[in-house]
């Protein structure tokens, strides 16, 4: 079964399909996401895309930690960062409307994937966090420069530096998500149908808005690569991975 399911249409859907791993993002999943985002972007009939995670327990728990541990050189660490950047930038720079339909865990790289979307609709049980500092690394999927644009500098620092979890109610209050729904996928599809009635104006408007926001990933990239290769980070990540792999 494909790690990312894609359904084409005026409202296309992309679903991360690794429920046994809480839809964690490894190299294969990121490559498949990049491919499906490109397919939707190039499809003239497609006006909007809903991204979700299979299983209902997680939109995505973030980067697969074994994937992070696989980096043994600066080149390999840079490749991990750059692949994730291509995925999120593919969403950000697309003229299509992207909506993240979130249920359960939306953490680390999963939260960063959702942040690249234009809107986020979440179930009441959703949980959001940027836990990377617990593993001795900074976020590497855009949180250090995109989260501030969404919720403000101090709230972004709070989430990133404390690594604390935010529930759906708080996420709505601070502007991290746009709506709460018991059926986030259906709500996201209906929302897309209402918004795309304003096509093609929305395509020009999205390009104008996102094109006017200057996002610089260079500092995040250099710090992520340096930290990921440190002995402290490898020890902390390994210490978390090994007990969980043995379950």
């Amino acid at each position: 079964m494909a790690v990312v399911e894609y359904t084409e249409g005026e409202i296309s859907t992309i679903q991360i399909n690794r429920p046994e791993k809480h839809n964690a993002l490894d190299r294969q999943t990121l490559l498949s996401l990049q491919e499906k985002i490109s397919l939707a972007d190039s499809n003239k009939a497609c006006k909007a895309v809903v991204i979700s995670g299979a299983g209902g327990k997680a939109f995505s728990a973030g980067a697969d930690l074994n994937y992070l541990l696989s980096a043994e050189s600066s080149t390999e660490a840079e490749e991990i960062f750059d692949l994730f950047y291509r995925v999120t930038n593919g969403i950000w720079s697309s003229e299509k409307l992207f909506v993240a339909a979130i249920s359960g865990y939306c953490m680390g790289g999963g939260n960063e994937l959702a942040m690249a979307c234009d809107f986020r609709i979440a179930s009441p049980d959703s949980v959001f966090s940027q836990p990377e500092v617990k593993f001795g690394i900074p976020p590497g999927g855009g949180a250090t420069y995109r989260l501030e644009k969404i919720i403000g500098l101090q709230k972004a620092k709070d989430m990133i530096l404390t690594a604390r979890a935010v529930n759906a109610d708080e996420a709505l209050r601070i502007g991290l998500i746009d709506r709460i729904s018991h059926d986030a996928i259906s709500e996201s599809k209906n929302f897309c149908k209402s918004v795309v009635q304003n096509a093609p104006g929305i395509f020009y408007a999205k390009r104008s808005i996102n094109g006017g926001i200057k996002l610089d990933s260079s500092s995040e990239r250099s710090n992520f690569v340096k930290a990921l290769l440190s002995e402290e980070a490898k020890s902390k990540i390994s210490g978390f991975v090994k007990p969980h792999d043995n379950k």
Side-chain angles (χ1 to χ4, degrees), residues 104-215:
Y105 297 114
C106 185
M107 306 172 71
N111 194 35
E112 290 168 306
L113 179 67
M115 282 191 284
C117 294
D118 302 296
F119 296 95
R120 287 155 293 282
I121 297 175
S123 63
D125 66 343
S126 297
V127 179
F128 305 82
S129 73
Q130 294 295 152
E132 292 90 346
V133 294
K134 291 183 178 181
F135 302 111
I137 59 175
T144 64
Y145 56 86
R146 189 173 276 124
L147 185 56
E148 176 268 334
K149 301 293 185 184
I150 297 172
I151 66 173
L153 178 61
Q154 289 308 116
K155 291 184 178 66
K157 281 187 175 181
D158 178 32
M159 283 193 68
I160 294 170
L161 301 184
T162 69
R164 73 181 184 88
V166 171
N167 64 25
D169 288 334
E170 183 175 359
L172 181 64
R173 179 173 58 80
I174 65 177
L176 182 58
I177 62 174
D178 302 286
R179 297 185 183 186
I180 296 175
S181 172
H182 286 279
D183 190 342
I185 294 178
S186 292
E187 179 75 10
S188 296
K189 290 179 179 177
N190 290 333
F191 176 75
C192 286
K193 289 176 183 176
S194 67
V195 175
V196 299
Q197 294 180 40
N198 297 320
I202 59 169
F203 304 147
Y204 297 108
K206 176 180 174 176
R207 286 202 298 262
S208 298
I209 294 169
N210 288 9
I213 298 173
K214 304 306 178 186
L215 302 176

Side-chain angles (χ1 to χ4, degrees), residues 21-25 58-64 105-111 129 131:
K21 295 291 185 180
H22 294 300
N23 299 315
L25 304 169
F59 175 76
S60 172
D64 189 310
Y105 297 114
C106 185
M107 306 172 71
N111 194 35
S129 73

